[in-house]
Amino acid sequence: MPGAPGPKGLHIATFGCQMNQYDSARIAGLLAREGYAQMDQPQGADLIVINTCSVRERAEQKVYSYLGGLRRLKAENPGLLIGVGGCVAQQEGARLLKQVPHLDFVFGTGSLERLPQLVAEAQKGRRQAFTEPRPPDRPQALAPAPAPGLKAMLTVMRGCDNYCSYCVVPYVRGREQSRPVAEVLEEAHALVDAGVREITLLGQNVNSYCDPEDGRDFAGLLHLVAGIKDLWRIRFATSHPKDLGPALMEAMATEAKVMEQIHLPAQAGSNRILKAMGRGYSREDYLALAAELRRRVPGVALGGDFIVGFPGESEADFAQSLSLLDEVRYDFIYSFKYSDRPFTRASSLDGKLDEETKSRRLVTLQERQREIGRQMHRQLIGRVEEVLVEGPAQKGQGRLTGRSRAGRVVNFAGGPELVGRLVAVRVAEGKQSSLLGSLEQRERSEAS
Ligand code: 5AD
Ligand code: SF4
């Protein structure tokens, strides 16, 4: 329609963790109120927001190279506004504006609700960085994501007080702050009313959740969320081993809606390294937790994070990480080469390892886990899994895809009418990162 102002185009580039994905959805919601419609591509956008991660050096480099790539777009369209939020924004603040001349504004991890104001002022030519430490964003100030799908994330706590020696998160995300139960429940109800059937509760350290008003713990929160009618599945991430107690295991064991899956980063298998990392548990503590989880929550899938090449990590220390994989038998792990981060204690430690050693250890660890993952998948052949059907499988062939209760990807042949339903699938084959099966029966999808 010539002459009629259409919606303005917004592109959000998201780097990093699920918390950032969640924040990006809120950013989209906030800016939708200002007349911005989301676009998949930066080309042609009126506003580009980059939600950044600084947990490892490479993640930070990706942000700078992405920003570099936008210089041309800005030259072609001087009206284009570019803003940077998230952890790099919090870490670098006004320095980013100095370093990147085509950047218009910077907003820190606690300043999401300032965004409309920053955009309005940037339109008037005011370049500014807002990174004041603030209380967590109030949900009423933040619109939920427009049109959530079958699955959604919900942040229940932010920040981290653990100060693991390698980690920048406490510096860029601030102190731990839990949202009140009532707020969490309100948001969960709104999601379910919009059609969401699976919610993942998020927090840097989700199991240290503590309601600021009545002190309710994470297990208590899970019980309440499980009471929401028409919500079928609850997952949560990430859990810290030192805060995993019997109440949470009990909630996992007794609440049918809480899925049998836990992401429980060990980071290393050697007590010497765990101590230097400041993790607050020993290898033996961790193994005892994993064994207890397996005993109390049958079929539970464990996920982990590992860092290889922490300063001073010897071959013998590294061998302990490998043997931890063998003993725990994770479904999947995320693994990283140690990377120096600003402000952290580890960055000033002696005994830094060269890139080659770190790369070699990473490959060895990942190969060992790949084999374990294959074995774990093979053990599932013949079993019937409850699957929430999400849509057509990526590799097509008329297959559908969804996830089992333990979070494994399951592909099977079936018609589009099954999308959004809970079905039973018998596993026939275990692939590297997914299971292949056949439809056994359609289950009741009205579980309340
Ligand atoms: N170097 C490498 N990996 C890191 N992680 C956090 N900080 C660093 C670092 N400095 C990893 C941890 C954490 C995950 C989110 O990122 O494994 O669990
Ligand atoms: Fe970082 Fe440790 Fe906090 Fe996790 S628990 S966010 S690794 S400081």
Side-chain angles (χ1 to χ4, degrees):
M1 236 201 306
K8 292 169 280 183
L10 161 71
H11 178 70
I12 305 178
T14 308
F15 295 86
C17 64
Q18 290 178 307
M19 307 277 283
N20 270 11
Q21 287 170 30
Y22 173 85
D23 282 347
S24 289
R26 316 297 306 258
I27 290 171
L30 262 179
L31 292 175
R33 292 194 205 151
E34 308 294 315
Y36 284 94
Q38 230 178 318
M39 329 175 17
D40 292 338
Q41 297 297 325
Q43 289 79 11
D46 300 286
L47 171 61
I48 299 175
V49 174
I50 308 158
N51 198 0
T52 62
C53 170
S54 68
V55 77
R56 284 169 298 279
E57 200 182 344
R58 241 189 68 192
E60 201 176 323
Q61 279 161 0
K62 275 197 217 158
V63 171
Y64 284 101
S65 70
Y66 184 83
L67 261 171
L70 296 181
R71 194 182 307 123
R72 207 170 45 90
L73 283 185
K74 181 88 172 187
E76 285 165 10
N77 172 15
L80 168 65
L81 294 179
I82 303 176
V84 171
C87 295
V88 177
Q90 187 68 36
Q91 186 182 296
E92 298 298 319
R95 266 199 305 256
L96 262 174
L97 286 178
K98 280 210 192 96
Q99 278 170 25
V100 186
H102 57 285
L103 184 59
D104 296 286
F105 62 92
V106 172
F107 59 105
T109 49
S111 324
L112 280 198
E113 84 285 17
R114 290 264 164 168
L115 201 48
Q117 186 193 336
L118 287 171
V119 172
E121 289 176 10
Q123 269 160 349
K124 294 184 200 137
R126 179 152 181 229
R127 290 179 87 223
Q128 58 187 323
F130 195 90
T131 55
E132 290 300 301
R134 295 176 57 85
D137 304 306
R138 309 305 293 174
Q140 56 268 36
L142 290 177
L150 197 58
K151 304 197 294 183
M153 295 178 279
L154 200 175
T155 293
V156 301
M157 59 86 66
R158 292 173 182 273
C160 182
D161 289 349
N162 287 324
Y163 293 92
C164 298
S165 65
Y166 51 81
C167 189
V168 74
V169 165
Y171 306 97
V172 292
R173 286 270 172 184
R175 304 303 302 263
E176 251 173 51
Q177 279 167 321
S178 295
R179 293 174 62 189
V181 161
E183 262 183 38
V184 172
L185 289 178
E186 194 184 321
E187 191 169 327
H189 274 288
L191 289 169
V192 172
D193 289 347
V196 168
R197 294 293 171 262
E198 175 177 315
I199 293 182
T200 301
L201 304 176
L202 294 181
Q204 231 85 45
N205 211 344
V206 75
N207 56 328
S208 71
Y209 175 88
C210 178
D211 181 285
E213 279 144 28
D214 68 8
R216 193 181 300 262
D217 65 5
F218 185 62
L221 180 69
L222 276 180
H223 288 299
L224 287 176
V225 176
I228 297 177
K229 192 173 173 301
D230 293 329
L231 176 64
W232 300 341
R233 292 180 152 195
I234 305 166
R235 302 187 194 277
F236 55 91
T238 293
S239 303
H240 196 300
K242 75 171 174 44
D243 299 322
L244 177 55
L248 177 52
M249 291 198 204
E250 184 65 18
M252 292 182 77
T254 57
E255 291 288 359
K257 291 184 186 182
V258 177
M259 298 293 101
E260 293 83 13
Q261 179 190 29
I262 188 159
H263 185 209
L264 196 67
Q267 311 294 3
S270 138
N271 279 333
R272 205 173 66 82
I273 298 297
L274 286 171
K275 192 148 185 266
M277 288 178 160
R279 291 290 292 173
Y281 53 84
S282 66
R283 174 190 180 91
E284 293 71 29
D285 296 335
Y286 188 92
L287 284 170
L289 275 181
E292 184 68 1
L293 268 169
R294 292 217 187 275
R295 193 178 68 75
R296 297 182 68 164
V297 188
V300 70
L302 284 154
D305 288 0
F306 279 84
I307 296 176
V308 301
F310 185 82
E313 185 190 67
S314 66
E315 285 297 335
D317 291 320
F318 174 60
Q320 298 250 298
S321 288
L322 290 176
S323 68
L324 193 72
L325 292 186
D326 294 336
E327 288 188 49
V328 173
R329 306 190 67 70
Y330 292 99
D331 246 57
F332 72 94
I333 60 163
Y334 298 109
S335 48
F336 313 100
K337 290 190 269 188
Y338 168 79
S339 138
D340 267 344
R341 298 286 64 213
F343 320 120
T344 62
R345 280 180 287 136
S347 64
S348 57
L349 288 177
D350 293 332
K352 299 276 166 64
L353 276 76
D354 57 84
E355 272 310 299
E356 202 190 313
T357 306
K358 286 195 273 187
S359 299
R360 184 170 42 76
R361 289 183 187 172
L362 188 68
V363 169
T364 307
L365 190 88
Q366 290 176 341
E367 271 171 8
R368 180 78 66 103
Q369 176 56 33
R370 214 168 290 134
E371 181 49 34
I372 293 169
R374 262 196 291 266
Q375 291 168 9
M376 303 289 282
H377 273 178
R378 249 180 263 138
Q379 282 173 6
L380 297 169
I381 292 173
R383 274 187 33 179
V384 175
E385 298 280 339
E386 177 202 276
V387 175
L388 177 58
V389 187
E390 291 170 24
Q394 254 179 7
K395 288 198 185 127
Q397 298 161 335
R399 286 198 192 118
L400 296 173
T401 191
R403 282 187 189 261
S404 70
R405 295 181 60 90
R408 300 178 183 107
V409 174
V410 182
N411 297 326
F412 63 98
E417 74 283 1
L418 298 180
V419 175
R421 305 235 150 214
L422 287 172
V423 299
V425 175
R426 188 174 294 275
V427 178
E429 211 181 307
K431 304 258 187 199
Q432 173 118 333
S433 54
S434 63
L435 299 167
L436 202 58
S438 55
L439 193 63
E440 186 86 354
Q441 69 177 82
R442 214 159 111 170
E443 289 195 352
R444 254 177 12 109
S445 61
E446 308 82 44
S448 63

